[in-house]
Amino acid sequence: MTPKEVLALCREKNVKAVDLRFMDFPGLWQHFTIPVNKLDEDVFEDGLGFDGSSIRGWQAINESDMLVVPQPETATLDPFTAIPTLSMICNIQDPITREDYSRDPRNVARKAVNYLKSTGIADTCFIGPECEFFIFDDIRFDSTPNSSYYYIDSAEGQWNRGREEKPNLGSKLRYKEGYFPVPPADQLMDIRNEMMQTMIDCGLDVEAQHHEVATGGQSEIDLRFNDLVTTADKVMMYKYIVKNVARKFNKLVTFMPKPLYSDNGSGMHTHISLWKGSEPLFAGSGYAGLSEMALYAIGGLLKHAPAICAFANPTTNSYKRLVPGFEAPVNLAYSQRNRSASVRIPMYSPSPKAKRLEFRCPDPSCNPYLSFASILMAVVDGIQNKIDPGEPLDKDIYDLEPEELAKVPKTPGGLDEALAALRADHEFLLRGDVFTPDVIDTWIWYKTTREVDEMRLRPHPYEFCLYADI
């Protein structure tokens, strides 16, 4: 869509307001809205000003002026606003130099794609994410100097089997038994159907929706793969839609990876493939039908996985999902079917076009632009340096002898470890000026001071169960 076509769409749909959206550094959409009569073709070229010092992890107050530049190809009619509203995703620029802003996550993703093309390895990186999330009926929490608590509730949660609901109709999902049951056990089908249809109405290509493994409302809606930047854009629209549809039903959605103790957390398994023109580059005659290039790509992913986790698993809560001994993909190995390996090669289709890698570590709390970009940069490094991925892990991880299991590398045990890995291993991200040093340094600083240290300083409620009687 061109600027002229966007303006024509506004006239055709009687649009009254234009919502301009962009991604902050940690990964939440920000926005402001202008009357439709303030949108003209010059705005697509000149942009509009805003205060960059008020955005997390961005500018200092003495250099706060920034520009949002709307991208016409992202124009979408908002399905939730009271008056007809058109939304557009924006790039961020410096108003003096007109350079794209280094800490704009969408800019990092765009540069990663351009770097891939410059290497001659491929001209397209396709990404297919599987976003999981929870739909809750109630969530309350607080943390003060002398108290801390959270309370979550769900009508289908196993913990409500004995609750007086006048009447309690049962259909409470047992822990780890939420995968694919039909209604009434699955109480959220209608909500997910509305989420799915709203996504389709907004131009997202949805492949399926279903209940996920955990009790208490864990769900998944899958998007069809697309190029890296477009997919990241669509993940943000996806999050916006599911949260607002849930609000219509007086429920809430969280992409927090591990909100419930003793049940599965939410991941965002990320499928990746490289193409040159119409040729899929990961199909071949090697292990699991992979090309030599694909095996080197796996080598890059496994080598740099601990550093990638700083972006793909960017919260302290992320590492309550990545715990050894469960189905979580903590083993830095690859396999054609083993879901405990961090890299899986899906075997559903024999078509070369379907050949891809599934990186299973990421979770949906991530900033998709930064996560996808870091994954691509690791893949490119593996291909360029012909990194050997070693032997596949096709055995059941639970059947391995302790000595054998100890030889399999693991994902970081906490966000602090992932940030330390990023600090030690980020040269591959700097190539092509994709991740600039200020992006790496600011990310480590922000996550350490705002999250790791803040968690480290606070007593945990369960510590009182363990130690209050000492």
Side-chain angles (χ1 to χ4, degrees), residues 34 38 55-56 119 121 182-183 233 235 239 252 278 283 286 289 341 415 428 433 438 446 463:
I34 61 173
K38 300 301 181 185
I55 305 300
R56 298 181 298 172
T119 64
I121 292 171
V182 298
D233 289 343
V235 167
K239 290 186 173 184
L252 66 98
S278 59
L415 181 57
F428 73 102
D433 201 37
D438 73 298
Y446 184 92
E463 288 179 307

Side-chain angles (χ1 to χ4, degrees), residues 209-462:
Q209 64 89 349
H210 60 86
H211 203 289
E212 255 299 337
V213 172
T215 190
Q218 192 180 34
S219 299
E220 180 177 322
I221 303 176
D222 294 330
L223 298 178
R224 183 170 173 79
F225 66 88
N226 211 317
D227 69 88
L228 188 151
V229 175
T230 300
T231 298
D233 289 343
K234 291 184 182 299
V235 167
M236 296 314 299
M237 179 58 75
Y238 174 118
K239 290 186 173 184
Y240 178 74
I241 289 170
V242 297
K243 288 181 177 181
N244 281 282
V245 169
R247 179 63 67 95
K248 285 176 59 178
F249 283 82
N250 202 32
K251 298 181 186 292
L252 66 98
V253 159
T254 180
F255 289 92
M256 185 176 176
K258 185 70 172 177
L260 296 180
Y261 170 68
S262 80
D263 213 335
N264 282 35
S266 293
M268 190 178 75
H269 306 151
T270 300
H271 298 250
I272 181 169
S273 62
L274 299 184
W275 290 58
K276 196 168 229 181
S278 59
E279 180 188 358
L281 301 180
F282 281 179
S285 58
Y287 172 81
L290 294 176
S291 65
E292 186 178 56
M293 177 185 289
L295 289 168
Y296 291 146
I298 292 172
L301 276 174
L302 296 179
K303 176 182 177 180
H304 299 299
I308 295 171
C309 284
F311 295 110
N313 306 88
T315 69
T316 58
N317 184 256
S318 297
Y319 298 88
K320 291 177 170 59
R321 166 182 169 257
L322 291 178
V323 176
F326 299 91
E327 189 182 329
V330 299
N331 301 293
L332 296 181
Y334 69 103
S335 174
Q336 61 183 352
R337 301 181 75 175
N338 190 341
R339 279 175 162 79
S340 66
S342 59
V343 178
R344 187 176 74 96
I345 300 92
M347 302 298 291
Y348 299 125
S349 171
S351 170
K353 293 182 178 180
K355 192 56 63 180
R356 61 198 187 274
L357 310 179
E358 179 191 15
F359 187 46
R360 295 176 58 81
C361 295
D363 68 57
S365 69
C366 73
N367 183 325
Y369 298 102
L370 299 182
S371 179
F372 298 162
S374 64
I375 291 170
L376 174 57
M377 294 301 286
V379 162
V380 171
D381 183 59
I383 295 168
Q384 288 176 323
N385 291 293
K386 299 183 177 180
I387 298 175
D388 184 355
E391 294 299 315
L393 181 66
D394 287 333
K395 298 179 182 178
D396 187 336
I397 197 73
Y398 304 112
D399 290 340
L400 294 181
E401 295 295 328
E403 297 80 10
E404 190 175 0
L405 182 60
K407 297 176 183 178
V408 181
K410 301 291 188 291
T411 54
L415 181 57
D416 54 344
E417 292 183 25
L419 294 171
L422 177 62
R423 186 178 291 108
D425 175 29
H426 61 260
E427 188 276 333
F428 73 102
L429 297 171
L430 301 179
R431 294 173 195 159
D433 201 37
V434 175
F435 285 78
T436 53
D438 73 298
V439 169
I440 302 295
D441 292 343
T442 304
W443 187 263
I444 293 172
W445 165 82
Y446 184 92
K447 287 289 174 178
T448 300
T449 59
R450 301 289 182 89
E451 299 178 34
V452 173
D453 288 349
E454 292 295 335
M455 280 294 296
R456 185 183 289 122
L457 290 169
R458 284 167 167 75
H460 189 284
Y462 192 66

